[in-house]
Amino acid sequence: VVTVGGMVTVMVVAALKPKLVLRVAQPPLKVADKAAARFGKGPFDKSAAKAVDSYSSAALLVRQHRGQAALAVLWCALGSACELGCFSCVCLAFNIHAPAAMVCGYVVATLAAMVSVVPQGVGVVEAASVVVFALFGVHQATALTAIAVYRAFVFWLPFATGALVMGGSKLGRHTSPKH
């Protein structure tokens, strides 16, 4: 939440006052430039200017398309609510009734999917969630089964559906050039 909030704040400020963002970024950039110079790397000034320009452009697009942006946020919120509902239903189906276990399990599963080095935290989400549930007294087999069912609904089912649809569309077909 803090990261996303910070990015949105920088995006808005970059859209309204890009020079201010660059001016505020100068002290940390100088420190980073000194560290980079020790490793024979160039300065970050151009990278920072490109990032501010990118944020500024994105913020202007959001501003120009407020209705579409608001609708996208609402759809994302609905999707997150449905995912949380799925997690809750699966927990209840496997007799995991402790609200603290459910909340911590969901938070850890979501964070593990976001920060994992493997796409969508495959394997990491399951392991981390089992540990959290075990800390709340849930039997490991129950925890693993519940997480496997949850991941089947929110990850594997959409993944398989997307793969089938893409395989059946023109996007999934390889065409060789005609000679």
Side-chain angles (χ1 to χ4, degrees):
V1 171
V2 173
T3 303
V4 172
M7 290 175 64
V8 169
T9 301
V10 170
M11 189 184 300
V12 170
V13 174
L16 301 173
K17 305 225 184 244
K19 290 181 181 178
L20 173 66
V21 174
L22 289 173
R23 193 169 48 238
V24 170
Q26 282 306 310
L29 282 173
K30 286 182 181 179
V31 172
D33 286 345
K34 285 180 184 178
R38 287 188 174 187
F39 296 101
K41 301 292 181 185
F44 290 101
D45 289 345
K46 290 180 182 177
S47 298
K50 285 181 183 178
V52 169
D53 185 52
S54 175
Y55 275 122
S56 180
S57 298
L60 289 174
L61 280 173
V62 169
R63 198 161 124 195
Q64 291 170 351
H65 303 282
R66 284 186 186 115
Q68 289 174 316
L71 190 60
V73 168
L74 289 174
W75 278 113
C76 288
L78 178 63
S80 293
C82 289
E83 186 176 332
L84 177 58
C86 177
F87 189 86
S88 299
C89 289
V90 168
C91 285
L92 293 173
F94 285 93
N95 288 324
I96 302 171
H97 294 285
M102 292 168 65
V103 169
C104 288
Y106 181 75
V107 168
V108 166
T110 303
L111 289 175
M114 287 192 296
V115 301
S116 175
V117 295
V118 294
Q120 285 293 304
V122 174
V124 178
V125 168
E126 292 78 3
S129 298
V130 168
V131 168
V132 168
F133 281 141
L135 290 172
F136 282 95
V138 177
H139 190 272
Q140 289 179 356
T142 303
L144 183 58
T145 306
I147 289 299
V149 170
Y150 164 71
R151 294 286 280 176
F153 282 114
V154 299
F155 178 71
W156 292 109
L157 185 63
F159 178 80
T161 303
L164 289 172
V165 168
M166 192 169 168
S169 71
K170 291 181 181 180
L171 291 174
R173 295 187 190 134
H174 294 286
T175 55
S176 56
K178 296 180 181 179
H179 295 282

